[in-house]
Amino acid sequence: MSGTSFAARWILAGSMAFGVTASAFGQDDAFRNFRQLDSTAKMPKLNAFSALPGGTAGIAAKDVLFDAKLTADGDVMQEGLVWRVFSPIAGEDGKLPLVASSEGGSAAFQLMPGDYFVNCAFGRAGVTKKLNVPADGDVSKQTLVLDAGGFVLNAVAGADQRIPPNELSFSVYSSEVRENGDRPLVMADVKPNTVVRLNAGTYHIVSEYGDVNAVVRADIQVEAGKLTQAVLQHRAAQITLKLVSQPGGEAIADTAWSVLTAAGDVVNESVSAFSTMVLAEGEYLAVARNKNKIYQRSFTVKAGGNTEVEVLMRDAAQVADTSNQQN
């Protein structure tokens, strides 16, 4: 396995994960066919940096080499790393001063004798090590083990209906639950087909389809050295409402819409000729208001069943005159 290659692990997940298979997954596939999501700021690559500007008379800086692995028995990583070396003495702002940084694979720094904290980041995964550079003798190569992996998220509606990427978003939370019931947010607004690199462990994923009530959750295990590909299953569909004077007719403009659940809770409101939204599977009531009159129709949403729902103006049983109600 190359330095940044992951073995692939596929999951189809609804409210719980099931159906797991594994196969080889090369570096080109894992890191070039998907957008990269980095949490680190871009910095110029520095191969040599004095930890003490000007140095100390008679004391020479030491060459220190660093490399990293995803797992203890894995190969040395060749790309995707950000190295940062900090002084252990906080500055006036209370932060540890950054004395050296490098991007890419392995790193080489020239450091004056003393103590340092060395951080290696791989996306949201990272590890920090304390380093002592002695005044005498050489410093052995430093190898850090990230114990990291990653995942790529996507989702379908119903059994296998593709969801447009711009309709999907994912949030990644820690598996730990605080006393107030909340989970610490790891990252928000993750787009589909994006490689997310994290320390090994279990993460709680929340997927939102549209912006109304189609939400699904799943716990996903990140394994060191592996890229997990998870497909979550939404029980939802895209619905377009329109007010018409006859079946198949033109949509009536300037219509105010309210969509209620079977329990009477309002889940969406809008004003337009066509009101398009994504709704979770279930029973709903569409209420249309146009020129002081109200029209309504019950409808059912089935997973993956994208459809138009027409509300007829001429159906007297569904009409109420709001002008009379106001008098």
Side-chain angles (χ1 to χ4, degrees):
M1 181 177 72
S2 64
T4 53
S5 297
F6 288 160
R9 185 167 175 265
W10 292 78
I11 296 177
L12 180 64
S15 58
M16 60 186 297
F18 61 97
V20 178
T21 61
S23 62
F25 203 78
Q27 174 178 330
D28 288 346
D29 291 333
F31 284 94
R32 294 179 185 173
N33 290 349
F34 297 98
R35 297 189 299 276
Q36 299 302 302
L37 186 62
D38 294 322
S39 63
T40 53
K42 295 295 183 182
M43 299 184 191
K45 184 171 183 178
L46 300 175
N47 288 324
F49 197 104
S50 174
L52 296 176
T56 303
I59 301 178
K62 303 285 186 177
D63 290 326
V64 186
L65 303 178
F66 298 89
D67 58 30
K69 301 178 179 181
L70 288 174
T71 61
D73 57 354
D75 296 334
V76 172
M77 302 178 69
Q78 303 299 323
E79 62 178 329
L81 301 176
V82 176
W83 296 90
R84 294 187 178 94
V85 181
F86 297 91
S87 168
I89 303 174
E92 294 181 357
D93 60 358
K95 298 180 180 179
L96 300 182
L98 176 69
V99 298
S101 66
S102 175
E103 292 186 19
S106 300
F109 299 110
Q110 287 186 335
L111 302 174
M112 298 299 294
D115 292 328
Y116 301 91
F117 288 113
V118 180
N119 174 264
C120 180
F122 179 59
R124 286 294 178 117
V127 62
T128 300
K129 176 181 181 179
K130 186 174 182 180
L131 171 69
N132 174 262
V133 178
D136 299 320
D138 296 329
V139 182
S140 61
K141 178 184 286 188
Q142 305 294 305
T143 299
L144 279 66
V145 178
L146 291 165
D147 189 30
F151 51 64
V152 175
L153 302 172
N154 214 321
V156 295
D160 57 3
Q161 181 174 307
R162 179 182 177 274
I163 297 175
N166 62 348
E167 292 283 343
L168 273 176
S169 67
F170 300 89
S171 296
V172 181
Y173 294 87
S174 169
S175 61
E176 300 176 1
V177 180
R178 295 170 175 158
E179 292 183 0
N180 62 3
D182 293 339
R183 298 174 185 265
L185 177 66
V186 177
M187 55 201 328
D189 197 26
V190 178
K191 299 303 180 184
N193 295 329
T194 301
V195 173
V196 179
R197 297 174 290 197
L198 296 164
N199 289 106
T202 302
Y203 296 87
H204 186 73
I205 310 301
V206 177
S207 174
E208 296 182 69
Y209 175 23
D211 56 7
V212 180
N213 65 350
V215 179
V216 66
R217 301 170 181 267
D219 289 332
I220 296 179
Q221 181 74 28
V222 173
E223 299 181 43
K226 294 185 178 180
L227 178 67
T228 298
Q229 299 204 33
V231 179
L232 280 68
Q233 189 177 46
H234 277 276
R235 305 295 299 175
Q238 186 177 85
I239 304 299
T240 298
L241 304 176
K242 64 177 185 176
L243 180 65
V244 295
S245 59
Q246 60 184 6
E250 294 292 328
I252 306 300
D254 300 323
T255 300
W257 293 96
S258 296
V259 177
L260 289 73
T261 66
D265 298 322
V266 177
V267 295
N268 191 60
E269 292 184 316
S270 62
V271 178
S272 62
F274 296 90
S275 180
T276 300
M277 70 206 74
V278 175
L279 296 173
E281 196 172 52
E283 302 291 331
Y284 296 90
L285 177 68
V287 179
R289 298 174 179 84
N290 186 273
K291 294 182 179 179
N292 294 326
K293 290 191 177 182
I294 296 177
Y295 311 85
Q296 62 186 42
R297 175 183 172 181
S298 298
F299 65 97
T300 301
V301 175
K302 295 183 179 180
N306 296 349
T307 188
E308 285 189 349
V309 175
E310 293 183 343
V311 178
L312 292 177
M313 296 182 70
R314 67 181 186 183
D315 190 344
Q318 294 180 334
V319 177
D321 193 328
T322 59
S323 62
N324 292 332
Q325 295 175 0
Q326 294 172 355
N327 293 331

